[in-house]
């Protein structure tokens, strides 16, 4: 800081890392103050839509959510989203990431219907811009499936979990950790639908894959 100055990007990056360490150590008030300061300085120095500004706002909002301060986290995330959208357009990766952060905040607040609408929009944009087989698209499919499961829409969630597994198998092969995780998620989805016999082979596949990768005694 003495060499580069308080507002230099390198100083701000270091301050952001310090805030993260404070939060991890349980010093949440100091972390909140430092995140807010970094976000303000980054916006003034680098711009409101700069990745450092947006990621700091996201970290600040996540901390607020962990503290149960969801009403305060929402406006922070909305600000990050609007700043990114104005500068980058509606389908830029940073904009969609900001939308996903809002979805997480809505879910934490129990506002599942609003979260679902936004998450469907994120998935649609990613499919259109990146294609159905891009890793970010697959992540959005999985996120929507989990959200639908939380809303009690297990049937549609199951269809999406099947889709994720199919894509991961096609892209990564049957024994890749991501594929095995998708098989495990599908098994859980089938169990939620009381389709226990259908769930069993997927669950067994996930267990066997984990044994082969980590050994039979791994937690």
């Amino acid at each position: 800081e003495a060499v580069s100055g308080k507002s230099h990007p390198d100083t701000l990056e270091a301050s952001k890392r310090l805030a993260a360490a404070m939060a991890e150590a349980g010093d949440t008030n100091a972390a909140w103050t430092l995140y807010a300061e970094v976000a303000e300085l980054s916006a003034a120095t680098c711009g409101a839509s700069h990745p450092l500004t947006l990621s700091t706002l996201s970290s600040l909002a996540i901390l607020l959510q962990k503290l149960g301060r969801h009403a305060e986290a929402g406006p922070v995330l909305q600000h990050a989203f609007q700043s990114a959208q104005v500068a980058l357009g509606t389908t830029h990766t940073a904009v969609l990431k900001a939308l996903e952060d809002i979805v997480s905040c809505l879910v934490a607040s129990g506002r599942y219907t609003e979260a679902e609408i936004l998450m469907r929009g994120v998935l649609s944009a990613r499919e259109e811009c990146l294609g159905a087989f891009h890793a970010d698209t697959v992540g959005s499919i999985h996120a929507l499936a989990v959200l639908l499961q939380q809303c009690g829409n297990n049937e549609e969630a199951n269809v999406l979990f099947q889709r994720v597994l199919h894509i991961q198998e096609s892209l990564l092969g049957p024994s890749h950790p991501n594929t095995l995780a998708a098989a495990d998620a599908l098994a859980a989805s089938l169990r939620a639908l009381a389709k226990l016999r259908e769930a069993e082979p997927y669950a067994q596949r996930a267990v066997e894959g984990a044994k082969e990768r980590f050994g039979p005694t791994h937690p």
Side-chain angles (χ1 to χ4, degrees):
E1 186 176 320
V3 176
S4 302
K6 196 173 185 179
S7 299
H8 191 278
D10 289 345
T11 305
L12 294 174
E13 286 281 7
S15 296
K16 183 187 169 192
R17 289 194 294 271
L18 175 59
M22 288 173 170
E24 188 139 349
D27 193 356
T28 52
N29 288 330
W32 182 90
T33 301
L34 188 52
Y35 272 136
E37 181 181 330
V38 171
E40 183 179 354
L41 290 172
S42 179
T45 305
C46 306
S49 62
H50 190 275
L52 175 59
T53 307
L54 297 177
S55 65
T56 304
L57 287 172
S58 177
S59 296
L60 175 58
I62 289 169
L63 178 60
L64 287 169
Q65 289 181 76
K66 286 180 179 177
L67 294 172
R69 294 160 63 177
H70 303 296
E72 294 173 68
V76 173
L77 293 173
Q78 285 287 350
H79 175 64
F81 165 67
Q82 289 165 1
S83 298
Q85 187 178 43
V86 168
L88 304 170
T90 57
T91 58
H92 190 277
T93 301
V95 177
L96 297 177
K97 170 63 172 64
L99 262 182
E100 284 186 320
D101 288 340
I102 293 174
V103 169
S104 297
C105 185
L106 290 170
V107 169
S109 303
R111 295 161 64 183
Y112 296 108
T113 301
E114 295 169 74
E116 181 185 334
I117 291 169
L118 286 184
M119 196 61 231
R120 287 186 187 278
V122 171
L123 174 55
S124 178
R126 286 205 162 124
E127 285 176 324
E128 184 178 341
C129 297
L130 303 174
F133 285 77
H134 190 278
D136 288 347
T137 305
V138 178
S140 293
I141 298 170
H142 177 80
L144 178 57
V146 171
L147 177 55
L148 290 171
Q149 211 169 37
Q150 289 176 301
C151 296
N153 189 351
N154 291 313
E155 291 285 354
E156 187 179 358
N158 183 255
V159 172
L160 293 179
F161 281 126
Q162 289 183 48
R163 185 177 164 195
V164 170
L165 177 58
H166 171 70
I167 293 172
Q168 299 291 42
E169 285 175 331
S170 300
L171 291 178
L172 305 172
S175 59
H176 190 278
N178 290 356
T179 305
L180 298 174
D184 193 42
L186 178 55
S189 174
L190 288 165
R191 286 195 295 271
L193 292 168
K195 296 181 178 180
L196 303 183
R197 286 190 178 180
E198 292 179 47
E200 187 176 347
Y202 294 107
Q204 189 64 35
R205 178 177 168 187
V207 170
E208 292 301 323
K211 283 182 180 178
E212 184 175 335
R213 184 173 176 80
F214 301 112
T217 59
H218 191 276

